[in-house]
Amino acid sequence: MTTRLWTFSSRGPPSTVLSFTTTPTPTLPPSLPLPRDSPLPEEWILIKVAFAGLNIGAIFQMTLIPTFLRAATCTPEMDLSGTITDVWHPDPQQTPRFQKGDKVVAMLPASHALATGTGALAEYIAIPAKYAVRKPEDVSFADAAGCLLTGMTAAQMVEESGAKKGDRVLVVAASGGIGTMVVGKNGDLVKSLGADEVVDYTQHKHLPYHLKATFSSKPFDTIIDTLGFHAIYAHSPAYLVQGGIYSSAGIKPPSFDVPDFLRAVIQMKLNEWWPVSRWLGGVGRLWKGVSMMSPTLADRERIVAMLGRGDVKVVRDSVWPLDEADKAYEKLGGRHARGKVMVRVDRDVGDDEC
C-alpha cells in the first residue's frame, strides 16, 4: 500500500523544491530508533489525513532551514485532521487514549517535524499520540485542521499582550489566519468576527501616519500584530498608550530570502533587548515576540474545546486538492489570504463533513 504526499529535499521556494510523489504507507509500531522528541516507547497512532492547514512557517522551513538541521527529505505542514486507522501502545495492559476510527486533530511541533521529516501533506502519517486530540463531533474536518497552530498562537499573543475586558486593542492583519482567531467569534469579514472598527491598509500609502492621525487622541491599550509589520511598531508611541504592550508574531521580512530573514531576526532581538529605551534607539513601547514551537497537550485541548464551543471560528480563504498544494502555497505566499488556506488531502471528505 502506498501513500501520496508532497516532499522536498533541497532548499528554495515551494514552486521549485516541492515534489508530489508516493511512498510506502507508514506502519506501527514506529521504527527504531525513536525520534528525539519521543525517545521512550509511548502510544503512537496512524492517521488517514482528511485536511491539512497551510502555514507561512512551512514556506520558511522550505526556503531557509539547511539539511543539517532537518531530515534529508521532509513533508511540509504541522496542522491536520483525520481518522485513526491504527493504534500502538508499548504496554498491552494499559488502555490507549485512542481507538481505531477516532476522528482527531493534530499539530506536529517543529522538534518532531524537522527531525523525522513527517508532515501533514500526506495521505497517511504515523505520529506520537500526544500530538493529537479528539475532534469535536460537530466541527468539520476542514475547520479542525485550521485551528491549532493559529489558535494556540493567537491565544498566547492575547495573553502576553495583557489585553483585558474593556481595553482598546488594535489587531494587525485581522483577516489572516491568526488574526481571525484573535478577533473572535462574533458576527465586510473582520467586523463580522467582532471588530468595532476596520482599517483597510490598502487604502493608505503610509499606514502608521493614518493610525497616528486617527487614534492619537484615543490610543490603544495594546496592539496584537499577527503578521509582523515593524513600521507599525516603530511608530506605535503615537497610538499605543505609555506602558502598553506590542505583541507580535515576529517581523515580516520583505521576501523569503535568507538575507531578509536574518535582518528581521536581528531587528526582533533589538526590539526585545531595549524596546523602551528611546535614547538607545528603542521605540519606547514594550515589544513581545510570540512563537508556538512546543505546545503541550493541554494547549491543544484548550483550543479544540474553544472551537467546539464556538468561542473561536476558523475562516477559510480557500480549499485546494492535494495535488495542487504547490499552487496553494503561491496563494499563501502572497500574504493576502482572507483566513486559512486549506488542502483537502482525502478527496472523499467534503468541505463541511464532520
Side-chain angles (χ1 to χ4, degrees), residues 250-273:
I251 291 180
K252 181 186 73 170
S255 75
F256 294 101
D257 295 337
V258 173
D260 285 334
F261 177 77
L262 291 178
R263 279 191 288 270
V265 171
I266 292 171
Q267 185 62 64
M268 284 189 286
K269 292 303 178 183
L270 291 174
N271 290 350
E272 292 175 350
W273 289 336

Side-chain angles (χ1 to χ4, degrees), residues 155-172:
Q156 186 174 341
M157 294 185 75
V158 172
E159 290 172 3
E160 294 198 5
S161 75
K164 58 187 182 297
K165 187 175 182 179
D167 281 355
R168 285 176 51 78
V169 180
L170 172 64
V171 180
V172 182

Side-chain angles (χ1 to χ4, degrees), residues 4 17 42 57 71 74 87 90 104 118 147 156 163-164 172 176 178 202 223 226 247 253 255 267 269 274 294 310:
R4 298 186 307 158
V17 301
E42 60 182 275
C74 289
V87 179
V104 295
T118 305
C147 79
Q156 186 174 341
K164 58 187 182 297
V172 182
I178 299 174
T202 65
I223 297 176
T226 68
S247 177
S255 75
Q267 185 62 64
K269 292 303 178 183
W274 49 72
S294 298

Side-chain angles (χ1 to χ4, degrees), residues 53-57 79 143 145-155 157 171-184 189-190 193 224-227 249 303 307 312-318 331-332 335-342:
L54 301 194
N55 297 287
I56 285 289
D79 279 325
D143 286 350
C147 79
L148 275 179
L149 183 59
T150 53
M152 291 187 292
T153 304
M157 294 185 75
V171 180
V172 182
S175 64
I178 299 174
T180 53
M181 301 290 274
V182 170
V183 173
L189 173 62
V190 176
L193 292 170
I224 299 175
D225 184 350
T226 68
L227 193 55
I303 298 303
L307 183 67
V312 294
K313 178 181 179 181
V314 174
V315 177
R316 302 179 211 163
D317 172 89
S318 51
K331 176 63 180 293
L332 180 66
R335 302 193 182 187
H336 296 294
R338 290 166 49 91
K340 289 293 295 184
V341 177
M342 313 294 300

Side-chain angles (χ1 to χ4, degrees), residues 41-122:
E42 60 182 275
E43 183 178 342
W44 280 63
I45 54 178
L46 180 64
I47 303 174
K48 184 179 183 181
V49 179
F51 279 83
L54 301 194
N55 297 287
I56 285 289
I59 299 180
F60 284 116
Q61 179 189 8
M62 286 180 262
T63 57
L64 298 173
I65 298 180
T67 305
F68 70 87
L69 292 178
R70 59 167 174 80
T73 300
C74 289
T75 294
E77 287 309 336
M78 299 177 168
D79 279 325
L80 65 111
S81 63
T83 302
I84 294 178
T85 60
D86 197 9
V87 179
W88 177 80
H89 198 289
D91 184 355
Q93 303 303 314
Q94 185 171 336
T95 302
R97 287 178 59 221
F98 295 111
Q99 304 294 327
K100 293 181 182 179
D102 284 349
K103 299 175 181 179
V104 295
V105 192
M107 180 265 173
L108 308 178
S111 58
H112 184 82
L114 293 177
T116 65
T118 305
L121 289 179

Side-chain angles (χ1 to χ4, degrees), residues 205-228:
K205 186 175 182 180
H206 196 289
L207 183 57
Y209 290 172
H210 173 74
L211 294 175
K212 178 180 179 179
T214 307
F215 300 109
S216 60
S217 62
K218 45 179 180 176
F220 298 100
D221 298 291
T222 188
I223 297 176
I224 299 175
D225 184 350
T226 68
L227 193 55

